[in-house]
Amino acid sequence: MKPTLFLSDMHLDPSRPQIIQLFIRYLLEHGSQAREVYLLGDIFEAWIGDDAVPADHPVLGAIRRLSDSGVPVFVMRGNRDFLLGEAFAEATGTTLLHDPTVIELDGEKVLLMHGDLLCTDDVEYQQFRAMVNDPQWQAGFLAKSIEERMTMAKQARSESTNRNSELAAGREQIMDVNQQTVVDTMREHGVRRLIHGHTHRPDIHHFELDSEPASRIVLGDWFDQGSVLEVIDGRYDLQTLTE
Ligand code: MN
């Protein structure tokens, strides 16, 4: 039986070429053997619009090769690459997924999210998210020149880096998911299993939901190594990849 693969938080960026290579190699060697591949957000460290990316982008080419080989590839936007659009989907032969999305996996309903929606303790971030997910805000941003957008994105990133180090210093809890939000969201979608990334805390959490066993699987990031969830026949295997 072929595996279904889940990856997120590659944060691909020219400053870490070895991770780009690891990701491309993984897609071509393992992705091509999969039944389906799900990329659950923050594939890219930054994405300021589909039009700002050269047509011969190596990552887009690798995803295209995978989808052309007959493996369905699904993409959910993350908080870094929330502007991934239809042109990206067309160029890569992928299907964009709404966040959240419920899929059926080996006969079970499974909820997929990027994960940032679960971090409801971070009220300031949720306000920012609501702003940048507003279609009008996005249209206004995308109407600016690529140079202007690059400047704005750079500024937003340095503000967020400062803020994250402040948060990490005092209140680590606020950067993680809120368990009540997890429970409410899973209940709302009628699932006992949730897969997400974003927090960079790879783990499989088991708990009880309405007196039934439930689990939340957190994908890891791709900073120093790779992380992938392989699902075969209802078995969930969270792996770390080294170079
Ligand atoms: Mn994220």
Side-chain angles (χ1 to χ4, degrees):
M1 193 154 185
K2 288 183 168 185
T4 303
L5 304 176
F6 298 86
L7 297 75
S8 72
D9 301 281
M10 283 64 80
H11 290 264
L12 299 179
D13 184 79
S15 67
R16 291 180 302 119
Q18 73 285 4
I19 293 294
I20 296 181
Q21 287 318 312
L22 182 65
F23 177 65
I24 290 177
R25 210 166 58 231
Y26 184 80
L27 282 191
L28 300 178
E29 285 174 13
H30 298 269
S32 56
Q33 307 304 313
R35 187 167 64 172
E36 289 176 334
V37 174
Y38 289 84
L39 305 174
L40 297 185
D42 289 355
I43 303 172
F44 301 99
E45 176 72 5
W47 193 266
I48 58 168
D50 294 351
D51 59 333
V53 176
D56 62 350
H57 193 293
V59 174
L60 271 57
I63 299 174
R64 175 91 228 183
R65 257 183 289 164
L66 178 59
S67 60
D68 276 351
S69 76
V71 178
V73 182
F74 299 91
V75 174
M76 190 176 274
R77 302 172 181 94
N79 55 301
R80 296 294 189 144
D81 50 14
F82 59 89
L83 285 172
L84 286 172
E86 287 304 331
F88 165 84
E90 206 164 305
T92 52
T94 57
T95 305
L96 292 175
L97 295 180
H98 185 259
D99 183 359
T101 285
V102 176
I103 62 165
E104 179 147 338
L105 185 57
D106 298 331
E108 185 193 9
K109 273 172 76 181
V110 177
L111 181 62
L112 308 180
M113 301 179 79
H114 174 59
D116 53 335
L117 275 170
L118 299 167
C119 300
T120 47
D121 292 332
D122 194 346
V123 174
E124 203 180 316
Y125 169 72
Q126 293 301 332
Q127 284 166 352
F128 170 79
R129 189 187 190 280
M131 177 185 81
V132 301
N133 276 281
D134 177 60
Q136 219 171 333
W137 185 93
Q138 293 195 355
F141 182 80
L142 291 171
K144 295 179 195 300
S145 74
I146 291 174
E147 287 72 27
E148 269 180 286
R149 280 183 259 163
M150 280 168 82
T151 309
M152 284 175 74
K154 215 168 146 186
Q155 200 181 336
R157 262 206 307 284
S158 73
E159 276 166 23
S160 128
T161 307
N162 290 342
R163 185 158 174 275
N164 285 346
S165 46
E166 268 171 43
L167 288 176
R171 300 176 291 164
E172 184 160 293
Q173 201 63 25
I174 211 170
M175 315 277 290
D176 203 354
V177 301
N178 175 295
Q179 182 62 18
Q180 190 58 47
T181 305
V182 167
V183 165
D184 292 344
T185 309
M186 291 177 76
R187 209 177 264 147
E188 184 189 331
H189 290 90
V191 298
R192 290 289 175 275
R193 203 186 295 273
L194 164 62
I195 301 172
H196 71 84
H198 179 66
T199 59
H200 301 193
R201 298 171 193 212
D203 207 345
I204 301 185
H205 302 272
H206 297 278
F207 52 98
E208 274 207 354
L209 179 57
D210 301 329
S211 313
E212 280 184 53
S215 66
R216 176 171 68 91
I217 302 168
V218 188
L219 307 170
D221 64 79
W222 288 56
F223 276 96
D224 301 317
Q225 73 285 306
S227 174
V228 61
L229 172 68
E230 200 180 84
V231 182
I232 305 177
D233 218 0
R235 274 179 297 114
Y236 286 69
D237 184 16
L238 189 56
Q239 305 171 350
T240 299
L241 313 173
T242 47
E243 283 169 77

